Amino acid sequence: DAGITQSPRHKVTETGTPVTLRCHQTENHRYMYWYRQDPGHGLRLIHYSYGVKDTDKGEVSDGYSVSRSKTEDFLLTLESATSSQTSVYFCAISEGPFSNYGYTFGSGTRLTVV
Amino acid sequence: TQLLEQSPQFLSIQEGENLTVYCNSSSVFSSLQWYRQEPGEGPVLLVTVVTGGEVKKLKRLTFQFGDARKDSSLHITAAQTGDTGLYLCAGGDQGAQKLVFGQGTRLTINP
């Protein structure tokens, strides 16, 4: 009954290679978010989407791009992976834009760039 | 840019003790949320507080939103080992498309 799934759960990749992470939801929520989580930094927003083909940058968007061609899928691409992008990546969904709406998070993708 | 500062960053106590975790900002938020995250999983929403001075209780957890809507606290009574985890506060402006998260408080309850 997850409602939101991330794939892959773990990935090791080499510096300079492109990487795409996938977030899939079955809740038909309009809003989707990509965060990265690093020790001492909490959750930092990379990109978010407020509808199909509607996306915007977060606070740490450099080196990342996103696409949303369907309501249920939000893809995060690292164009050319660097070691500084080693992190745990979380996708989240929300019914609405206001902060009153809770976020539902996926289980995360642990990415290691070597 | 709105910032949320959580304190303490790390807390280790014995089972049965009480504790309070704080979330502070110089900015006003329209509402504030608390999440708990366990190892290997994403954060899970515990509560949303929306009114200045509001107090919400979830079993042994008590959440309070400051009168000026700039701060919040989480109090746990008679902590249990199952309370162990990372606690995150998050807030946003009315109309904001996204939340701002604090850096988290890592809580360890020892048996």
Side-chain angles (χ1 to χ4, degrees), chain B residues 77-91:
Chain B
T77 303
Q80 299 177 357
T81 55
D83 295 326
T84 292
L86 179 68
Y87 288 80
L88 296 157
C89 65

Side-chain angles (χ1 to χ4, degrees), chain A residues 25 29-30 32 49 51-53 67-71 73:
Chain A
Q25 62 147 328
H29 285 347
R30 182 179 170 192
M32 300 185 75
S49 171
V52 174
K53 298 187 179 179
S67 67
R68 190 165 178 205
S69 58
K70 298 185 290 185
T71 297
D73 289 323

Side-chain angles (χ1 to χ4, degrees), chain A residues 9 31 33 35 37 40-43 45 48 50 57 90 97-103 105-108, chain B residues 30-31 33 35 37 40-43 45 48 50 86 88 92-99 101-103:
Chain A
R9 288 295 311 273
Y31 292 81
Y33 308 83
Y35 285 87
Q37 186 173 41
H41 290 279
L43 286 163
L45 182 65
Y48 65 100
Y50 46 96
K57 297 179 179 180
F90 286 99
F98 303 111
S99 51
N100 290 11
Y101 291 89
Y103 284 13
F105 283 86
S107 297
Chain B
S30 61
S31 66
Q33 300 172 0
Y35 293 79
Q37 183 179 16
E41 296 297 327
L45 179 67
T48 300
V50 297
L86 179 68
L88 296 157
D93 284 334
Q94 183 69 18
Q97 305 264 45
K98 52 195 183 292
L99 293 175
F101 283 83
Q103 80 273 37

Side-chain angles (χ1 to χ4, degrees), chain A residues 15-43:
Chain A
T15 298
T17 61
V19 177
T20 295
L21 309 182
R22 181 182 184 236
C23 179
H24 178 78
Q25 62 147 328
T26 58
E27 305 296 325
N28 201 35
H29 285 347
R30 182 179 170 192
Y31 292 81
M32 300 185 75
Y33 308 83
W34 276 108
Y35 285 87
R36 60 178 289 175
Q37 186 173 41
D38 305 287
H41 290 279
L43 286 163

